[in-house]
């Protein structure tokens, strides 16, 4: 665990480094609130592109989007980049901290919120936390997918073991050994052998 | 009808407490500059009137006294603060009242307030240079020691990051002591340093504790010529306090040392001593406090007023011939273009300047301090006489 903590702090530094090379797209009307935001982003060292109204296509190589999130924006026709499984972090800039807007923000899949008008302080923290959690969630999703596949395979293996043990009158351990031998012989995975056994049983007896 | 009312300005430096030595020098540099400005006819015939309170090194006092200067003494501008915690305490006050704080102290970066002008070094103007110089000349096995607050943490983070990228770079230890640590507290650390035998020691110890560290280091028999302490804050004032026998051989990175051999600098130091005697030792924070007061006066002459909205546009982008060289206020981040230098204490308690660079623009949000960002500026090392 201590080791994990150490790598965690290194990766936060890594986030800071990435931030200085990040290209950010800002969808916000060009007013004073927008320039306060952009000035602070540039002080931090980010590269920004500011557009209004929002475009359906993001500028090339956009690493992060900050967009004005208000009632009108949420009623507007769907923007293709604004979706819960966005491949880049999305930060909504809101004017009202009320349940309607915050619910919209979470439903749309925002990773962070800035409250308008922004102050120079607070922007850096929001960026770092949004990017950090974005990556955490992506990592966890991938791990979750892998675990689901593994679990599925484990279920199939134990089902196949039982079928084989019953059919041959051998122990579950011996059944597994047999499946593994078959897998090696046919140069496929044990999971595939197991799936074939389960499938064959279904075909033969149902 | 010409306005001849005096202009009150706040001076908020501690003349007692753990950091009094440096803050006194900052206060006197401010008074010195104000005297010069007034002797030259003030600001369009108006006299500058310093309003000085002593916050005794206590953050809450800085906050309360900043409020008092603004509400009761009607100041629009405050010159003040040394430790980051005291600056953080004053910022909400100047932001609330739309006033301006001039802050003449090196600090850890990662800050911007529209109501602050930062005239001390950001890490890209002192830490990066020191890390590079020390690792090239002494090696990259480093022992880190600092006082227990934010400036040392962040400075040590930058130093650790830097040395880990140098081949063979290693952090041998990272130790923190309270601001009021005594020599007795430093002895076990000095012994540990001796045992671990680093290439150099990086110290972010500030205030009174500085002398304790260097004293303990000498007492334990560490040789500054072989294993020096490198610092961002130890200056002529501390060298004088500890004596040159103890201070000699150690390094500091700063934009200003008394030893800068320009006629302007030497004349200014003579004039300061004539007026204030030898008690105050001019140093990097003294110089920043001195030039920021003059820079303010120049801006106010141009603006005709010292209220925030009128004055600020005349400060941003302004250049000024300081004792360290030509400085300029960066309009985007309110920090100052400065001239990094590396000094080594000699047997007179003064710093021999062993490396210096042309002006470096401030970048307070820079995370990775690679060589390329500044090495091109470094000049060949002068011969030490």
């Amino acid at each position: 665990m201590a080791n994990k903590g150490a790598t965690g702090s290194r990766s936060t530094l890594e986030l800071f480094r990435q931030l200085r090379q990040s290209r950010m797209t800002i969808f916000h009307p060009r007013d004073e609130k927008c320039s306060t935001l952009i000035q602070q982003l540039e002080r931090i060292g980010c590269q920004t592109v500011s557009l209004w109204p929002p475009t359906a296509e993001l500028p090339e190589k956009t690493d992060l989007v900050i967009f004005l999130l208000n009632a009108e924006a949420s009623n507007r026709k769907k923007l293709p980049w604004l979706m819960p499984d966005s491949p880049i972090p999305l930060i909504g800039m809101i004017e009202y901290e009320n349940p309607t807007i915050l619910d919209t923000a979470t439903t749309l899949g925002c990773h962070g919120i800035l409250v308008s008008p922004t102050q120079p302080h607070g922007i850096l923290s929001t960026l770092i936390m949004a990017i950090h959690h974005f990556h955490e969630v992506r990592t966890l999703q991938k791990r979750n997918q892998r675990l689901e596949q593994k679990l599925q395979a484990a279920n199939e293996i134990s089902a196949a073991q039982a079928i084989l043990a019953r059919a041959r009158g051998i122990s579950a351990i011996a059944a597994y050994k047999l499946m593994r031998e078959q897998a090696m012989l046919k140069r496929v995975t044990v999971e595939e052998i197991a799936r074939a056994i389960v499938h064959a049983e279904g075909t033969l007896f149902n | 009808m010409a306005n001849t009312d005096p202009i009150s300005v706040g001076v908020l430096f501690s003349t007692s407490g753990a950091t009094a030595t440096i803050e006194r020098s900052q206060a006197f540099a401010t008074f010195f500059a104000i005297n010069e400005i007034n002797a030259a006819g003030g600001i369009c015939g108006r006299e500058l009137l310093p309003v000085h309170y002593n916050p005794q090194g206590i953050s809450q006092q800085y906050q309360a006294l900043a409020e008092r200067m603004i509400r009761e003494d009607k100041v629009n501008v405050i010159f003040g603060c040394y430790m980051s915690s005291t600056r953080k305490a004053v910022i909400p006050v100047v932001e609330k009242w739309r006033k301006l704080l001039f802050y003449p102290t090196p600090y850890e970066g990662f800050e911007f307030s529209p109501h602050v002008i930062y005239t001390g070094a950001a890490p890209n103007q002192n830490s990066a240079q020191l890390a590079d110089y020390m690792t090239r000349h002494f090696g990259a096995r480093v022992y880190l020691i600092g006082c227990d607050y934010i400036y040392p943490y962040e400075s040590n983070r930058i130093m650790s990051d830097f040395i880990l990228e140098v081949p063979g770079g290693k952090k041998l230890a990272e130790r923190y002591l309270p601001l009021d640590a005594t020599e007795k507290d430093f002895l076990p650390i000095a012994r540990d340093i001796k045992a671990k035998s680093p290439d150099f020691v990086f110290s972010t110890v500030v205030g009174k504790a500085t002398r304790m560290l260097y004293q303990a280091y000498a007492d334990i028999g560490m040789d500054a010529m072989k294993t020096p302490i490198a610092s961002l804050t130890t200056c002529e004032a501390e060298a004088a306090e500890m004596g040159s026998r103890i201070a000699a051989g150690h390094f500091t990175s700063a934009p200003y040392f008394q030893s800068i051999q320009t006629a302007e600098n030497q004349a200014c130091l003579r004039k300061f001593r004539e007026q204030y005697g030898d008690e105050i030792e001019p140093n990097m924070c003294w110089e920043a406090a001195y030039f920021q007061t003059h820079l303010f006066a120049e801006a106010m002459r141009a603006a005709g007023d010292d209220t925030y909205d009128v004055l600020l546009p005349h400060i941003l982008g302004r250049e000024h011939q300081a004792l360290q060289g030509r400085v300029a206020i960066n309009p985007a981040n309110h920090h100052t273009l400065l001239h990094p230098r590396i000094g080594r204490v000699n047997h007179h308690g003064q710093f021999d300047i062993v490396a210096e660079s042309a002006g470096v623009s401030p970048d307070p949000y820079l995370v990775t301090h690679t060589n390329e960002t500044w090495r091109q500026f470094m000049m060949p090392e002068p011969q030490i006489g």
Side-chain angles (χ1 to χ4, degrees), chain B residues 216-228:
Chain B
Y217 199 73
D219 287 352
I220 216 79
M222 291 298 292
D223 180 1
M225 297 316 289
K226 280 208 322 243
T227 315

Side-chain angles (χ1 to χ4, degrees), chain A residues 10 12-21 39-40 42-45 119-121 124, chain B residues 95 110-114 157 160-161 164-165 331-334 363-368:
Chain A
R10 290 297 295 183
T12 307
L13 270 183
E14 208 45 57
L15 291 182
F16 272 96
R17 291 196 187 101
Q18 284 169 15
L19 200 58
R20 303 259 307 184
Q21 278 128 41
Q39 280 165 11
Q40 181 62 15
E42 285 176 355
R43 255 173 231 126
I44 293 168
Q119 303 287 323
H121 51 85
L124 180 60
Chain B
E95 288 187 344
F110 291 92
E111 189 181 283
F112 168 77
S113 165
R157 206 259 323 143
S160 310
D161 231 33
L164 292 179
E165 280 173 25
N333 59 34
H334 288 202
D363 192 351
Y365 288 90
L366 186 62
V367 185
T368 310

Side-chain angles (χ1 to χ4, degrees), chain B residues 130-131 142 144 155-163 200 202:
Chain B
L130 187 65
V142 186
L144 306 172
S155 302
N156 284 339
R157 206 259 323 143
I158 292 166
M159 181 60 80
S160 310
D161 231 33
F162 192 96
I163 55 178
F200 71 97
F202 178 55

